[in-house]
Amino acid sequence: MEVVIAPGPELGRLAAAAIEKLVREQPDAVLGLATGSSPLAVYDELARRHAEHGLSFARVRAFMLDEYVGLAADHPERYRNVIEKEIASRVNFAPGAVQGPDGLADDLVGACAAYEDAIASVGGVDLQLLGIGTDGHIAFNEPGSSLASRTRIKTLTRQTREDNARFFGGDLDQVPQHCLTQGLATIMSARHLVLLATGRGKAEAVHQLVEGPVSAMWPATILQHHPHVTVLVDDAAASRLQLADYYRETFAAKPDWQGL
Ligand SMILES: N[C@@H]1[C@@H](O)[C@H](O)[C@@H](COP(=O)(O)O)O[C@@H]1O
């Protein structure tokens, strides 16, 4: 696991550079897209590189991590609409190239299985962007999630619903109780995981993710078992890392050719 501590805007540039390198080398790459505020700097930078440097997503396929159950098709907080607004509409994905779990399906269990099949049918995800919840969840894998889980229905914790109420006018009752989410094993199947976290509110989750024991109580800790994880954090999110100085020295001494 590589930990990079840098100012927020620099984190977005580092993640976008890794995506650009992948897409230029492999134009039909498969990306994993995350919602939440953490990846927004990455999306801004990708949109800029598309507009100014001709970075093309014409052959890229993308899969979203998760989706609320039951939000109306035109609801602005439906993750499919959020991804459309934040990145898909700003670059040149082909129609249908961005997929997400269908939170409006009549058969939600079937929709989860179909989603796993869709990811497998393109050979899996090459680079997966991730945020992290204050309770250590990734996608919507809440504490107690099976470390071997696949895409399924989950019930959101009160903490997550409170955290996300800001997107629903601060009204907790408007935040859905259920979601469909890639499982931890689904996420672990991606070949490179790039997790972004900023702010003091994420400091404990980041400490557990990087330095804590692997436990379903902090679901992100499963990433310690992945061979290629990049954790991009600002000073505040890094403030509880016991080995922060070592991570800084390691990154400062890293040869450019290694990339992320
Ligand atoms: N399902 C999303 C997660 O994918 C995201 O990582 C988390 C943190 O969001 P933020 O980046 O806004 O802190 O929020 C939601 O719960």
Side-chain angles (χ1 to χ4, degrees):
M1 186 177 280
E2 177 175 36
V3 180
V4 180
I5 304 168
E10 179 62 13
L11 303 177
R13 281 193 289 275
L14 285 167
I19 291 172
E20 171 157 14
K21 181 169 183 288
L22 170 69
V23 170
R24 294 223 185 255
E25 287 172 4
Q26 189 185 326
D28 63 349
V30 181
L31 297 180
L33 303 177
T35 44
S37 41
S38 303
L40 293 181
V42 187
Y43 297 152
D44 287 347
E45 183 64 15
L46 289 177
R48 190 185 70 77
R49 288 169 189 235
H50 169 67
E52 296 176 15
H53 301 163
L55 177 62
S56 176
F57 294 79
R59 293 175 56 204
V60 172
R61 276 78 42 87
F63 289 88
M64 294 163 46
L65 280 174
D66 46 12
E67 182 60 275
Y68 291 113
V69 168
L71 281 190
D74 62 351
H75 195 293
E77 290 308 320
R78 190 180 179 223
Y79 277 174
R80 190 174 286 245
N81 297 334
V82 171
I83 287 292
E84 181 64 25
K85 174 168 165 258
E86 300 296 355
I87 181 67
S89 63
R90 302 167 73 192
V91 297
N92 62 332
F93 285 114
V98 180
Q99 299 185 53
D102 183 1
L104 286 172
D106 291 331
D107 174 8
L108 291 170
V109 174
C112 291
Y115 197 58
E116 287 281 332
D117 289 347
I119 297 172
S121 74
V122 298
V125 170
D126 291 301
L127 187 153
Q128 175 67 60
L129 288 174
L130 293 167
I132 186 168
T134 54
D135 60 2
H137 73 248
I138 50 174
F140 270 138
N141 292 281
E142 297 284 27
S145 288
S146 162
L147 300 179
S149 50
R150 290 278 166 185
T151 303
R152 69 212 183 291
I153 304 166
K154 287 291 286 183
T155 304
L156 299 175
T157 61
R158 191 175 180 87
Q159 172 77 62
T160 295
R161 292 179 66 234
E162 284 173 359
D163 285 350
N164 290 1
R166 68 188 191 279
F167 298 116
F168 293 82
D171 184 355
L172 186 63
D173 292 339
Q174 299 301 311
V175 185
Q177 270 194 304
H178 297 103
C179 64
L180 304 184
T181 180
Q182 285 192 29
L184 293 170
T186 318
I187 294 167
M188 288 288 286
S189 302
R191 285 177 275 281
H192 182 194
L193 304 176
V194 178
L195 184 145
L196 295 105
T198 54
R200 193 161 293 268
K202 300 292 174 69
E204 180 62 17
V206 167
H207 163 61
Q208 293 290 338
L209 154 69
V210 178
E211 299 172 336
V214 175
S215 163
M217 284 305 287
W218 291 93
T221 58
I222 189 64
L223 269 49
Q224 293 177 27
H225 282 282
H226 194 286
H228 191 186
V229 180
T230 308
V231 176
L232 300 171
V233 288
D234 67 1
D235 282 326
S239 59
R240 292 204 184 170
L241 289 173
Q242 290 168 4
L243 299 183
D245 290 344
Y246 172 63
Y247 308 138
R248 285 194 175 91
E249 286 162 19
T250 302
F251 188 65
K254 186 177 181 179
D256 281 345
W257 57 262
Q258 267 189 325
L260 288 182

